[in-house]
Amino acid sequence: MTESVSASGPTDVGSTGQPGAAAPGPAAGRVARVVLVDDHRMFRTGVRAEIGRTEVTGIDVVGEADDVESAVRVVAETRPDVVLLDVHLPGGGGVEVLRRSAGAMGEPGGVKFLALSVSDAAEDVIGVIRGGARGYVTKTITGGDLVSAIFRISDGDAVFSPRLAGFVLDAFAATDTPPVDEDLDRLTQREREVLRLIARGYAYKEIAKQLFISVKTVESHVSAVLRKLQLSNRHELTRWATARRLV
């Protein structure tokens, strides 16, 4: 978490404050209780170290989870102000966590969700927003911008990394339901992530680093994608993804 989303930070939709403005933390006498949900322990450790110094940031990390079941349980037990939610999780993904946490979100002053994911795919953004998340930022966000986003989400604002806000506006402005892509639906969320990165020209080692998985796991996902889509090589895969505007 060392590369900034942009010079001005996340886009704040519906807030009267300026994008990238300093978050109201300890100086304003505020503390936001946060749960981290991500299936990569090292990433959770990094986020906690970056934002979890309560006396400095005003963020109190009250729980962590690495899959859908543990996420639903921790959210129910801790009732945090904000949940930082990865989109791709074992057990059904971030959308399933949102579905099963609808009660906690619906209460007065209920739990709010901010998606924090490596994926910048329109379908992922739209899926979690429709599921009830209040915002979506990518993992390239800086610690300071993430703290600011957490407080804004806690206040009821909607926050997005700059280019992602357009996906949401376009989706909710559309009057027609997008057609179902049966081929794409055969792929798991993780396979879709690998597919996009392959189509963008990333090497296996680069994909492994980006997704926090091993090179062998990347190879396994690529093989599964090629088999399911009945393609022979990455060049055909790239053409397939480009034709569907997934790149």
Side-chain angles (χ1 to χ4, degrees):
M1 292 180 49
T2 58
E3 181 184 347
S4 175
V5 171
S6 73
S8 60
T11 298
D12 186 359
V13 179
S15 170
T16 57
Q18 295 299 315
R30 297 187 59 190
V31 172
R33 301 173 68 254
V34 171
V35 163
L36 306 178
V37 179
D38 194 287
D39 60 340
H40 299 111
R41 181 181 58 81
M42 290 181 64
F43 181 76
R44 296 198 311 273
T45 300
V47 173
R48 179 186 281 269
E50 184 79 15
I51 71 171
R53 297 165 294 156
T54 309
E55 71 284 359
V56 175
T57 63
I59 303 297
D60 180 15
V61 179
V62 297
E64 297 183 16
D66 60 3
D67 59 17
V68 170
E69 290 297 329
S70 60
V72 172
R73 182 176 64 254
V74 171
V75 169
E77 290 174 351
T78 62
R79 285 296 198 271
D81 298 309
V82 177
V83 178
L84 293 182
L85 180 68
D86 192 10
V87 174
H88 304 302
L89 294 167
V95 172
E96 180 66 11
V97 176
L98 290 162
R99 186 186 70 79
R100 294 176 57 180
S101 301
M105 286 190 286
E107 297 172 351
V111 178
K112 297 178 177 66
F113 286 79
L114 172 61
L116 175 62
S117 177
V118 70
S119 172
D120 60 0
E123 65 193 60
D124 289 335
V125 178
I126 294 164
V128 295
I129 297 304
R130 282 181 170 154
R134 294 290 304 170
Y136 195 118
V137 294
T138 59
K139 289 181 177 179
T140 53
I141 192 170
T142 63
D145 280 341
L146 182 56
V147 169
S148 180
I150 290 169
F151 276 105
R152 291 175 182 176
I153 291 291
S154 179
D155 287 339
D157 292 331
V159 181
F160 298 88
S161 293
R163 70 181 295 268
L164 306 186
F167 294 158
V168 179
L169 293 174
D170 290 345
F172 286 91
T175 56
D176 298 326
T177 303
V180 174
D181 190 327
E182 294 183 359
D183 289 333
L184 190 61
D185 285 347
R186 293 192 186 99
L187 307 182
T188 66
Q189 292 288 352
R190 181 63 86 190
E191 287 168 353
R192 295 182 192 187
E193 281 186 319
V194 172
L195 163 65
R196 290 188 188 93
L197 293 174
I198 284 287
R200 290 173 182 175
Y202 283 77
Y204 285 5
K205 287 184 179 180
E206 294 172 323
I207 296 173
K209 183 178 181 181
Q210 181 119 348
L211 299 182
F212 299 94
I213 57 180
S214 70
V215 173
K216 285 188 176 181
T217 301
V218 174
E219 292 173 348
S220 178
H221 285 314
V222 172
S223 295
V225 170
L226 292 174
R227 183 181 70 254
K228 290 179 179 181
L229 300 181
Q230 298 183 342
L231 301 174
S232 301
N233 53 58
R234 65 181 297 161
H235 300 295
E236 291 183 1
L237 187 152
T238 298
R239 288 197 296 270
W240 187 93
T242 301
R244 285 163 173 77
R245 298 182 180 179
L246 300 176
V247 181

